[in-house]
Amino acid sequence: MGQVIAINQRRFFTLEEAQELLPVVRRVTRLAVERAKFLSTQLSVVQNPEKKQALEEDVYLVFKEWHEKVKKLGADAKGMWLVDFDTGRGYYCWKYPEKEVCHYHGYEEGFRGRVKIH
């Protein structure tokens, strides 16, 4: 039987726990990225201002729904397709389409301050 994932709970992650949750985060993110790309492609060819605005709103909703799904898993969605897993001292950091969680940054450093985990 599969592992039960608690939802809507703020939590602290070990590196192992972040790696275990990553397949779910990757799948949710991949689906959102694909949907956003599809909508963006349509957006690039639409001339009608009303249709263009509707597509822009749809792209925003894809990002918002992705953000909410990541949050329900206990992680933090930051930026476009960037997920942080709170350690209690900083964050394990993952960005789509990376294969695994392999970066870390402190609370103050943010994405630009992330370093490779050895």
Side-chain angles (χ1 to χ4, degrees):
M1 197 182 304
Q3 180 181 0
V4 175
I5 298 173
I7 62 170
N8 290 324
Q9 294 182 12
R10 181 91 176 140
R11 62 185 278 203
F12 295 116
F13 291 86
T14 64
L15 181 56
E16 182 178 285
E17 291 168 334
Q19 297 288 22
E20 288 174 357
L21 187 59
L22 188 59
V24 177
V25 172
R26 280 181 56 83
R27 184 173 57 249
V28 165
T29 305
R30 180 181 48 79
L31 293 172
V33 167
E34 289 171 0
R35 181 76 177 135
K37 282 183 180 179
F38 174 77
L39 292 168
S40 294
T41 299
Q42 289 183 327
L43 187 57
S44 68
V45 296
V46 167
Q47 299 299 319
N48 180 299
E50 291 166 359
K51 287 183 181 179
K52 199 170 202 77
Q53 181 177 355
L55 284 168
E56 288 170 348
E57 290 171 7
D58 288 346
V59 171
Y60 170 76
L61 286 175
V62 167
F63 182 72
K64 183 179 176 191
E65 288 170 2
W66 168 78
H67 188 278
E68 291 170 0
K69 287 177 182 179
V70 169
K71 185 177 179 180
K72 283 181 181 180
L73 293 170
D76 294 317
K78 307 267 181 97
M80 286 299 277
W81 322 127
L82 174 66
V83 177
D84 283 346
F85 300 88
D86 196 341
T87 70
R89 298 174 312 282
Y91 296 105
Y92 293 120
C93 182
W94 174 81
K95 182 165 178 61
Y96 182 84
E98 295 172 344
K99 300 287 184 209
E100 60 184 23
V101 178
C102 56
H103 293 89
Y104 174 87
H105 63 81
Y107 289 129
E108 301 301 320
E109 290 84 17
F111 180 80
R112 291 181 187 244
R114 75 185 197 148
V115 294
K116 186 99 168 155
I117 299 169
H118 299 288

